[in-house]
Amino acid sequence: MHHVRAQASQRPGLFTLSVPTGGGKTLASMGFALDHAMAHGHRRIIYAIPYSSVTEQTAGTFRDLFGDVVLEHHAAIDANERDAGQREKLQLAMEDWAAPIVVTTNVQLFESLFSARPSRARKLHNIAGAVIILDEAQCLPRHLLLPTLRMIESLCTHYGCTVVLCTATQPAFDSRQLKEGGLALDDRELAPQPELLAQQLRRAHIRQGGEMSDQDLIDALAGTEQGFVIVNSRAHALELFKAAEQADIKGLVHLTTRQYPSDRRALIAEIREKLKSNQPCRLIATSLIEAGVDLDFPVGWRAEAGLDSCVQAAGRVNREGRRPLAGSILTVFSASDRPMPAAIKTLADAMRSTARRFDDLLNPAAMRDWFEHVYWQAGPKLLDAADIIGKLRVGRGGTDFAFRTIAEAYRMIDTTMVPVIIPGDAIAQREIDRLEVEAVSSGTLARALQHYTVQIPEKSREALRTNGKGDFAAQHLRGAQFFVLTDASLYRRDSGLWWEGADYIADSIW
């Protein structure tokens, strides 16, 4: 922390902060940002996170330190442009990011910067002159990498921003490595001796487990009092959890974005208590626990994915360093009965290639090797799949930027996901009832209800609506913004919302 903050007087611009998981990146980066802003007159701090599931935890940490100056904004519920013509035009405080500290997602930050929608562009003047911390920077999507890096460079060069790329697995964004389109990151590392830090803060080992079926994973969990399994999809996680339930596995917990944030927060607190008090705790989760969720298990299993994801998963093993290193193991396995999504397969193949050359996958040299395959050899066509940079060139006749085309092409999440509000407790129901109160702003209600919201595919939400499982509440006041689940049997705290097959699902699915 002291070493990082001591560099706050350096000239504004680009920085990296490379610290292994559990090394205190969050508070160190915020300490630097505060000192740097004071030294150079930056107007606010924007802390961007890859997953909306982590924003609440991080915002809560900062609120404990700084109070109500912290604004949390992600896409759990956001104003749609189609609502702009309604009688009440949504006036969300989050639209302009005027708060001193903003905690948001990469999606909100970068899609706003590339957006052609007035509601999203309204915050742009407040991004200028900010210190921007990109937590888990390795999660920036590969298909948009080059335009994203160009935007980061532009923010620093033309708009008075300082950007900190903060991660345990520093990606190959340096111009010496990425070459065309890379960033000038020479001598801009804030951490002291990152490779030495990686050795000093080593908490676990990664080993290859080969093919493992769901039954193999259940048997592995049964063989340890405390452990976790991370798989690559919500559907797989739910099916594995239900199979483990049927096998009568004790201390079983499921974490997934099928659950709304308020339930996830409570479940994470319960997991921490179980781990602390040495109670049986077997967790089945999606990748949401890999970034910013501070859990400390003795062992874990991770379905094959990119090496960056596996390193993050290893950060949940012996996180606090209280156990012997030799027995603190993350096993990376191939889900033999599960087809791997194409995007993940490419990253997993690169990890296998790296594993053939490096016995220790937590070695920073192994990570550099992996990024070489993922980024350096991918080429511009894969790193700017929609040719966004090509649509922003200046010719002899001046500029002819296709802003709306670019905005449509720049989508960090390809699948269209939309919110479903779950009336899970008395607080949620009270806020849902207030949708009918004209005097209460939609922005106030959106901020309250985002804690009870699950994101699902748009087609699936429409299937819920068509089959009488949910509908838009208070449409005469709010339009098509607040979709509320009306069939309570489709949500269960321990496993979340089941939306598949909305034409027949009912209590019997559980």
Side-chain angles (χ1 to χ4, degrees), residues 268-279:
I268 289 170
E270 291 173 15
I271 291 169
R272 290 193 181 115
E273 182 55 36
K274 287 176 183 289
L275 294 174
K276 184 179 179 180
S277 57
N278 294 318
Q279 299 176 49

Side-chain angles (χ1 to χ4, degrees), residues 332-355:
V332 176
F333 66 91
S334 170
S336 57
D337 48 2
R338 299 283 170 172
M340 191 180 295
I344 293 178
K345 185 177 187 305
T346 301
L347 303 178
D349 288 345
M351 185 188 69
R352 290 193 205 102
S353 176
T354 295

Side-chain angles (χ1 to χ4, degrees), residues 71 73 77-80 83-97 118-119 122 438-447 477-478 481-482:
L71 170 68
H73 182 203
I77 298 179
D78 199 9
N80 294 318
D83 294 330
Q86 296 176 10
R87 184 178 60 80
E88 177 191 12
K89 186 173 182 179
L90 301 179
Q91 297 293 329
L92 301 177
M94 59 185 73
E95 280 189 351
D96 63 6
W97 285 8
S119 60
R122 198 166 290 132
E438 186 173 359
V440 182
S441 74
S442 291
T444 297
L445 294 167
R447 287 189 292 276
L477 289 177
R478 317 292 176 179
Q481 188 186 6
F482 296 92

Side-chain angles (χ1 to χ4, degrees), residues 446-457:
R447 287 189 292 276
L449 287 168
Q450 69 185 7
H451 305 298
Y452 298 92
T453 298
V454 176
Q455 299 282 331
I456 73 171

Side-chain angles (χ1 to χ4, degrees), residues 8 12-13 15 29-48 97 100-102 109 126-134 155-156 159-165 190:
F15 293 92
S29 60
M30 179 56 75
F32 169 83
L34 290 167
D35 293 342
H36 189 74
M38 184 178 296
H40 298 286
H42 292 287
R43 299 187 297 163
R44 63 185 38 82
I45 296 167
I46 299 172
Y47 198 100
W97 285 8
I101 298 174
V102 177
L109 174 61
N126 281 329
I127 296 176
V131 179
I132 302 171
I133 301 169
L134 298 180
L155 288 171
C156 294
Y159 298 98
C161 292
T162 283
V163 177
V164 182
L165 303 173
L190 296 175

Side-chain angles (χ1 to χ4, degrees), residues 274-292:
K274 287 176 183 289
L275 294 174
K276 184 179 179 180
S277 57
N278 294 318
Q279 299 176 49
C281 184
R282 282 100 169 189
L283 171 64
I284 295 172
T286 59
S287 62
L288 71 88
I289 72 165
E290 291 177 351

